[in-house]
Amino acid sequence: MIKCFCFFIVVLQSLIFVSGFKCEFEKSTVLEHQYICRTLPASSEIIETHLLEKTDNDVNNVVFNGTVHAKSHFAASDFQFNERFPNLSSIYVYGVSTIDENAFQKYEHLDEIWITDTDIEDLPEKLFSSCTKLTAILITDNKIKTLPENIFVNNQELTYLRLDNNQINYLPPNIFKSLINLEMLFLEENNLQTLHPALFESLGKLTSINLYSNKITDLPKNIFSSLENKKQIYLGDNQLTTIHSDSFGNIERKTEIRFNNNKIIAIDEKLIDDTDISMIDMTNNICSQELIEIRIQIKEKLRKCFDNYKPREVLKLFWTHSKIIMD
Ligand SMILES: *[C@@H]1O[C@H](CO)[C@@H](O)[C@H](O)[C@H]1NC(C)=O
Ligand SMILES: *[C@@H]1O[C@H](CO)[C@@H](O)[C@H](O)[C@H]1NC(C)=O
């Protein structure tokens, strides 16, 4: 008799567990062929119905909105999306304030994680460490100030990383070290003032980098030198005053550089002589106000900027060298 009773409890528990959330199913409007479960609390009055000819196996994306669940903390153990949807490729998390270190631990096959529109200020170091197949991470519109140095250490497959629209004021020097396949990096709308000289050193495959709308005053020597296939560098809406060619290294392919809305008074002429820059946006600067889209016009239109140019201060260089030696 007692045995039977226990069995009953176990069955009941697993029923509750399986029905821990409900889905509102929909086709993605953004990504073709993607089929989404927008999670709802189990108590919701909505009756689940798949779209025509679709099943749980077709679900690619799960959207978790903390506001809808009245939950400010996201922990995967509450939901077990992977047990229900064998073909899950991405998870979107919105509207929470904290996220569990193990939140994505069981999702080794995920392609994409989105953490957006949240009040999150910090992310745990191990958050993505089991998700070694990720190709895209989007951490946008949150309140993040900095990230742990090893947060992406196991994400070598990553090609797309968005960290824009946060409050990032510091990035540890090795944070992107493992991201040898990264092609696009979005850091716009943050509070970055300085960039560590080695920050982008491992990003040999990066073609596009966006640093628009930060507070950057100076670009260190060689900061973009290892980006071998650079095509777009966006530096608009910062506090740059002098552009040194040694920040950029070789530019062999057609590259667009946007410096609009800075306070630029001087540019090293070598930046143009030694490179294949196809477009420079100087709108709203001091020595030039122009968007120059024709390569042969660049030299003539930036004459005033070139004339103002002085190389990096010798004293500063000496100090940097002695610091490196001391280190
Ligand atoms: C989803 O997964 C099932 C079982 O793993 C598999 O048989 C099916 O082909 C997959 N469907 C899609 C659309 O990938
Ligand atoms: C999350 O849910 C709230 C409340 O229903 C809604 O206002 C908000 O737009 C939702 N956010 C997203 C990104 O779906």
Side-chain angles (χ1 to χ4, degrees):
M1 182 63 197
I2 290 171
K3 230 178 185 174
C4 262
F5 186 62
C6 288
F7 177 71
F8 176 70
I9 290 182
V10 169
V11 170
L12 194 68
Q13 264 187 345
S14 58
L15 277 176
I16 290 167
F17 173 73
V18 166
S19 58
F21 65 94
K22 285 185 189 170
C23 292
E24 199 169 21
F25 294 104
E26 60 186 57
K27 268 198 177 123
S28 170
T29 51
V30 190
L31 301 164
E32 243 184 293
H33 312 301
Q34 298 267 321
Y35 186 54
I36 301 175
C37 155
R38 217 170 256 286
T39 69
L40 297 168
S43 58
S44 148
E45 293 187 354
I46 287 183
I47 296 164
E48 282 194 359
T49 40
H50 278 291
L51 302 188
L52 193 64
E53 294 178 354
K54 298 286 186 188
T55 69
D56 276 5
N57 283 358
D58 296 302
V59 172
N60 316 105
N61 301 340
V62 165
V63 175
F64 175 86
N65 182 340
T67 319
V68 173
H69 288 264
K71 271 181 180 284
S72 63
H73 182 69
F74 177 73
S77 53
D78 300 342
F79 301 97
Q80 312 285 345
F81 305 136
N82 54 326
E83 293 187 1
R84 179 163 174 191
F85 307 120
N87 299 317
L88 196 62
S89 69
S90 57
I91 296 181
Y92 297 23
V93 179
Y94 298 115
V96 293
S97 326
T98 50
I99 193 157
D100 204 47
E101 174 169 78
N102 300 323
F104 303 118
Q105 200 167 45
K106 291 188 183 150
Y107 301 101
E108 294 96 0
H109 301 291
L110 276 192
D111 278 338
E112 248 179 63
I113 292 178
W114 298 55
I115 300 171
T116 75
D117 269 314
T118 74
D119 288 329
I120 292 175
E121 291 179 16
D122 309 291
L123 289 176
E125 181 169 54
K126 297 263 169 6
L127 189 62
F128 307 118
S129 66
S130 312
C131 309
T132 56
K133 304 272 164 44
L134 286 175
T135 58
I137 296 179
L138 299 90
I139 304 172
T140 76
D141 297 281
N142 306 293
K143 296 186 173 155
I144 288 164
K145 294 195 171 59
T146 187
L147 289 163
E149 184 148 37
N150 290 322
I151 190 162
F152 305 123
V153 81
N154 290 343
N155 308 115
Q156 287 183 17
E157 306 290 316
L158 216 62
T159 58
Y160 189 92
L161 177 59
R162 277 186 60 177
L163 299 172
D164 53 282
N165 287 281
N166 282 288
Q167 296 166 9
I168 300 173
N169 54 31
Y170 174 72
L171 287 169
N174 292 314
I175 187 164
F176 304 129
K177 193 117 191 157
S178 317
L179 305 184
I180 51 173
N181 292 304
L182 198 68
E183 290 167 17
M184 301 184 89
L185 176 59
F186 299 82
L187 286 164
E188 67 269 28
E189 305 277 352
N190 277 296
N191 292 326
L192 290 166
Q193 285 182 23
T194 54
L195 302 169
H196 188 279
L199 188 62
F200 307 130
E201 204 173 65
S202 309
L203 307 182
K205 294 206 180 147
L206 205 68
T207 59
S208 172
I209 182 161
N210 193 338
L211 288 155
Y212 190 84
S213 201
N214 276 279
K215 297 185 172 134
I216 303 166
T217 53
D218 183 47
L219 298 170
K221 198 173 171 181
N222 290 323
I223 185 77
F224 302 121
S225 295
S226 41
L227 282 52
E228 285 161 29
N229 300 311
K230 42 190 172 283
K231 288 188 189 129
Q232 290 157 334
I233 302 180
Y234 295 142
L235 289 158
D237 217 348
N238 277 287
Q239 325 247 321
L240 297 168
T241 55
T242 298
I243 304 301
H244 301 281
S245 64
D246 63 14
S247 305
F248 292 84
N250 293 337
I251 301 185
E252 282 162 8
R253 296 227 200 142
K254 305 267 172 253
T255 304
E256 292 177 21
I257 306 187
R258 292 193 185 266
F259 293 123
N260 53 307
N261 302 312
N262 277 276
K263 296 177 181 142
I264 298 172
I265 48 169
I267 300 179
D268 182 358
E269 194 165 355
K270 275 173 77 184
L271 180 68
I272 310 302
D273 286 341
D274 296 354
T275 62
D276 202 2
I277 293 172
S278 58
M279 188 272 246
I280 284 200
D281 186 355
M282 286 291 289
T283 329
N284 265 319
N285 278 285
I286 295 168
C287 66
S288 164
Q289 307 276 330
E290 293 199 58
L291 166 64
I292 313 164
E293 293 176 289
I294 300 171
R295 159 103 196 152
I296 49 164
Q297 295 182 349
I298 294 178
K299 290 271 276 196
E300 156 202 341
K301 296 202 167 181
L302 294 185
R303 179 52 46 206
K304 202 169 147 201
C305 305
F306 300 151
D307 290 347
N308 293 340
Y309 181 73
K310 290 188 188 63
R312 289 181 200 272
E313 285 168 49
V314 177
L315 204 65
K316 216 164 155 186
L317 263 178
F318 174 76
W319 184 84
T320 320
H321 278 279
S322 50
K323 188 163 178 290
I324 290 167
I325 291 163
M326 273 159 52
D327 287 354

